[in-house]
Amino acid sequence: MEFIIEFFSSITGVSQGDLEKIFSVLGLIGTLVITPVGLLLAVWHYKIRRFSDQITYSANFFEPDSQGNMKLRIRTPAILPKEDILPNNLLFRYKLRQAIRRCTVDDPFIRMSVEDMDVFQPSIINGISAVFSEGIMAQLFQMKVQSQRLQIAITFEKDGGLKSQKIRVILIRDEDLRRIQDSKFHESVNFERSNHAYRLSTLAKMAKLRVLEKNLPSGSLRVVRPLFASFRI
């Protein structure tokens, strides 16, 4: 620092004592400016990372409770690092971020272009395959397995606070998704937690999309996709 002060003193003609005072004032101003800017960047970074660091797989199913009513159960079979699943491509990340920003409370489904979804959805399905790897290997060795047809959709639900907002892969049995279309069944469902009511709303929207997307021509964007999962028995 002394060398810098001597250098500027020699070329400006300002005394070293005055330059020390000037640098001290500039340092104070820099601290006052950089600190709030740093905090804002930290908050921005947190908002970005809250959905980009991991992929949460959410299993949704119905079971009778002690009173014989159907209760929605929500479980998390896996949380996988995003870097292990999605392409490490800046343009793809930007497009995904824009798609997430377009998600709303009323429409939580992540939609990208057909070309990008052809990358996004298979990557997500590959992640699910890791969860069901034991069943896949059991099939390979011709062991007894039980298979289940599931429906999946990739969401970014914005009903809660920042901690609850993340990329979620909704997994539900095909038969359960069909049951949700029955208004009587829908109205009779109970919840483990009150905030799970929003998930039932998401599942109902998912069921409607599945019906609408059945009639779309080949190659069209489909938010709801089928998946066969196998388990060793």
Side-chain angles (χ1 to χ4, degrees):
M1 188 66 181
E2 291 180 1
F3 174 78
I4 295 175
I5 291 175
E6 289 178 3
F7 173 75
F8 277 101
S9 178
S10 65
I11 63 175
T12 62
V14 180
S15 68
Q16 293 185 21
D18 289 339
L19 282 174
E20 288 178 355
K21 293 177 182 178
I22 292 172
F23 278 115
S24 296
V25 172
L26 290 175
L28 177 61
I29 293 173
T31 301
L32 293 175
V33 171
I34 291 173
T35 299
V37 170
L39 290 173
L40 290 174
L41 287 174
V43 172
W44 176 82
H45 185 63
Y46 170 74
K47 286 186 175 182
I48 296 300
R49 289 177 66 85
R50 78 179 189 271
F51 63 78
S52 64
D53 273 1
Q54 60 191 28
I55 307 293
T56 299
Y57 291 87
S58 176
N60 301 258
F61 53 95
F62 299 99
E63 285 185 343
D65 58 20
S66 56
Q67 286 76 40
N69 299 315
M70 299 305 293
K71 180 170 286 189
L72 174 62
R73 309 284 189 186
I74 300 176
R75 299 293 183 266
T76 303
I79 299 176
L80 303 180
K82 179 262 299 178
E83 289 79 6
D84 292 349
I85 300 174
L86 302 182
N88 187 20
N89 180 285
L90 290 177
L91 180 58
F92 180 85
R93 289 184 184 181
Y94 172 77
K95 290 180 178 179
L96 176 58
R97 190 172 300 144
Q98 294 300 109
I100 287 172
R101 286 175 178 169
R102 290 192 293 269
C103 292
T104 64
V105 173
D106 294 328
D107 185 6
F109 301 100
I110 296 177
R111 293 179 175 85
M112 304 172 75
S113 68
V114 174
E115 293 78 13
D116 290 327
M117 290 295 271
D118 284 342
V119 174
F120 188 37
Q121 289 175 324
S123 298
I124 292 295
I125 291 172
N126 288 339
I128 299 175
S129 297
V131 177
F132 299 137
S133 59
E134 183 178 352
I136 294 172
M137 295 306 295
Q139 285 182 307
L140 180 63
F141 287 97
Q142 298 183 334
M143 302 172 72
K144 289 184 178 181
V145 299
Q146 180 177 349
S147 296
Q148 183 70 243
R149 179 182 169 91
L150 306 176
Q151 296 291 334
I152 72 166
I154 310 167
T155 68
F156 192 84
E157 295 170 313
K158 294 185 176 179
D159 61 309
L162 292 179
K163 291 183 179 180
S164 67
Q165 294 182 14
K166 60 188 74 173
I167 294 177
R168 282 192 180 88
V169 183
I170 305 296
L171 304 168
I172 184 169
R173 291 182 299 185
D174 191 62
E175 59 190 73
D176 281 342
L177 195 61
R178 289 198 300 268
R179 295 169 76 185
I180 295 174
Q181 296 175 268
D182 183 345
S183 59
K184 291 184 178 180
F185 175 81
H186 190 283
E187 294 170 0
S188 67
V189 174
N190 294 324
F191 310 100
E192 292 179 293
R193 300 179 182 175
S194 59
N195 61 337
H196 287 178
Y198 180 76
R199 177 59 57 80
L200 184 63
S201 174
T202 296
L203 293 172
K205 294 182 177 75
M206 185 175 168
K208 291 180 180 178
L209 278 174
R210 178 174 174 269
V211 173
L212 293 173
E213 292 176 349
K214 276 186 175 181
N215 299 321
L216 292 176
S218 177
S220 299
L221 170 64
R222 285 177 168 80
V223 172
V224 183
R225 295 279 295 269
L227 172 74
F228 282 93
S230 298
F231 303 87
R232 181 182 172 184
I233 57 176

